[in-house]
Amino acid sequence: MKTKIKVSILALTSLFFSCKTAKPIEQEQHQKIIETIIRDTVVELQADSTFYRALIECKNGKPILIEKNLKDTKTKFKESLKINTALSNGILTVNCKQEAKRLFLQWKEKHIRELNNKTIIMPPKLVKKPLTWWEVLWCSLGKFFSGVFFLWMIFKAVQLWKRLAVPLP
């Protein structure tokens, strides 16, 4: 009795761990591309000029002008300005001119691209091959002996019914 239970438990557990189908294999690739682009351009500055006119007041009957050396003034572009100053009849005039310029500018741009490639590899397909003569022989013998076994089981069941004297349905 115990062996029958053990055999049936073993048969049931073997059914739970039967064959399964092959799953596709997935592979992912992460790729990061960094591009650095150097760009340059020319900026043209137009000619510019300013003019200032001021009236100088007098102190003790004399106009006072504190002179500064305006000709040494430089712009942030390291080029001197053309500055003309004049004081006449108590009027100060300042004329400032700058020529047109071309500035060359250069900068770097950085572009980052991330690429994610997902590759799915399918399992190989099974190709049906015709059975060899040896395999055909064993399949035929298996069918034959299975049929003989079932006939023998039916014969034994009929004998058991007769021995127990139970009428057949």
Side-chain angles (χ1 to χ4, degrees):
M1 180 80 172
K2 288 184 179 181
T3 56
K4 289 182 181 179
I5 294 172
K6 288 180 183 178
V7 170
S8 62
I9 290 174
L10 182 65
L12 287 174
T13 55
S14 67
L15 290 176
F16 288 123
F17 299 105
S18 61
C19 299
K20 65 177 184 176
T21 59
K23 293 183 179 178
I25 301 169
E26 293 183 6
Q27 294 177 345
E28 287 190 31
Q29 283 183 325
H30 299 286
Q31 192 174 16
K32 195 175 198 180
I33 299 172
I34 300 173
E35 292 181 45
T36 304
I37 300 172
I38 299 173
R39 298 192 184 260
D40 58 349
T41 187
V42 177
V43 178
E44 293 187 14
L45 297 177
Q46 299 293 329
D48 196 8
S49 64
T50 59
F51 182 79
Y52 182 72
R53 184 184 228 176
L55 181 62
I56 304 296
E57 293 185 12
C58 295
K59 286 189 180 181
N60 298 329
K62 291 185 177 181
I64 298 174
L65 175 66
I66 300 172
E67 289 192 30
K68 293 184 178 179
N69 193 359
L70 295 176
K71 292 182 180 179
D72 293 335
T73 305
K74 292 188 179 180
T75 64
K76 57 184 170 184
F77 301 113
K78 299 182 181 179
E79 292 184 18
S80 62
L81 297 171
K82 295 181 181 176
I83 299 174
N84 296 326
T85 58
L87 177 63
S88 63
N89 298 329
I91 296 176
L92 174 66
T93 57
V94 178
N95 191 6
C96 180
K97 289 186 181 179
Q98 178 156 354
E99 299 294 324
K101 291 184 182 180
R102 292 181 128 193
L103 299 175
F104 297 98
L105 300 176
Q106 188 177 42
W107 69 91
K108 289 183 182 179
E109 290 181 358
K110 196 175 197 180
H111 299 281
I112 299 173
R113 286 190 292 162
E114 291 187 22
L115 300 175
N116 294 332
N117 294 336
K118 192 178 224 182
T119 306
I120 298 175
I121 301 172
M122 298 300 288
K125 291 185 178 180
L126 297 176
V127 179
K128 290 186 179 180
K129 296 180 184 177
L131 297 175
T132 61
W133 68 272
W134 185 252
E135 294 167 340
V136 171
L137 173 70
W138 279 105
C139 287
S140 301
L141 287 175
K143 290 176 187 176
F144 174 74
F145 285 119
S146 296
V148 169
F149 177 73
F150 284 119
L151 289 175
W152 179 77
M153 290 289 286
I154 292 170
F155 176 73
K156 285 292 186 182
V158 169
Q159 280 184 347
L160 183 65
W161 282 99
K162 284 182 183 179
R163 226 184 316 154
L164 293 175
V166 176
L168 288 172

